[in-house]
Amino acid sequence: DAGITQSPRYKITETGRQVTLMCHQTWSHSYMFWYRQDLGHGLRLIYYSAAADITDKGEVPDGYVVSRSKTENFPLTLESATRSQTSVYFCASSGQIWTEAFFGQGTRLTVV
Amino acid sequence: SQQGEEDPQALSIQEGENATMNCSYKTSINNLQWYRQNSGRGLVHLILIRSNEREKHSGRLRVTLDTSKKSSSLLITASRAADTASYFCAYNAGNMLTFGGGTRLMVKP
């Protein structure tokens, strides 16, 4: 399917476990972003990538790791999940710098 | 925090009325965008205004940008119940796309 897809849609994991959230886009967009959305904080940027093999920290990168070996994929890994990482995670992509971003449907992660 | 701020945080109006949401930001920007989010869904792009523009229209949407005050406003005219959603401003500073806290709009039929 064309577009941007996230998987899984819902995930429950235990504290201390590693978990990876997947993001895949079919447009060959250069830019990709990971956000977390929490009540009272809006969307906060975790990491972003301007191209394959180029990633940069956003506002709240601690506890997260990203990679981008292929243009279309941008996985987000929580190396040792904590309860404070319970959130809704959104992946987005954009074709060029300073253009509109397209969002996935989100992954609701609960860390127990 | 680098986030922008939106005002009001929540807004409730009757169908047919206009809704105005404001956004303030802290850095120099290249452009400012507005997005809509329906409950439980991803964000959808509404409109983009460049830093050298002052006003832009798209259907029932009107966006203004005042770079001297680092602020923007989104006006939705003749609102409909289907406009009920959260609205976010977002701005590009460098390669980052930073979002405001959002305004929850409820339009009552």
Side-chain angles (χ1 to χ4, degrees), chain A residues 9 31 33 35 37 41-45 48 50 56-59 90 97-106 108, chain B residues 1-3 30-31 33 35 37 40-45 48 50 88 92-102:
Chain A
R9 290 294 311 278
Y31 292 86
F33 308 86
Y35 294 89
Q37 186 174 30
H41 289 281
L43 279 86
R44 292 181 290 176
L45 181 63
Y48 64 101
D56 276 300
K57 295 179 180 179
E59 185 183 358
F90 286 100
I97 189 66
W98 309 334
T99 60
E100 69 176 287
F102 296 85
F103 279 77
Q105 290 300 300
R108 184 174 294 275
Chain B
S1 169
Q2 298 180 28
Q3 278 194 309
N30 306 107
N31 66 46
Q33 307 177 40
Y35 288 79
Q37 183 182 33
R41 307 295 294 273
L43 280 75
V44 176
H45 182 264
L48 180 152
R50 302 190 189 286
F88 295 87
N92 286 110
N95 283 343
M96 294 174 60
L97 181 62
T98 301
F99 281 79

Side-chain angles (χ1 to χ4, degrees), chain A residues 11-64:
Chain A
K11 176 75 176 178
I12 300 174
T13 192
E14 294 179 340
T15 301
R17 290 195 179 268
Q18 182 181 85
V19 60
T20 297
L21 310 184
M22 305 301 294
C23 180
H24 174 77
Q25 51 103 354
T26 61
W27 296 301
S28 298
H29 281 171
S30 296
Y31 292 86
M32 296 189 76
F33 308 86
W34 272 108
Y35 294 89
R36 60 178 291 174
Q37 186 174 30
D38 306 288
L39 280 174
H41 289 281
L43 279 86
R44 292 181 290 176
L45 181 63
I46 305 170
Y47 270 95
Y48 64 101
S49 169
D53 296 322
I54 301 175
T55 61
D56 276 300
K57 295 179 180 179
E59 185 183 358
V60 289
D62 293 344
Y64 303 95

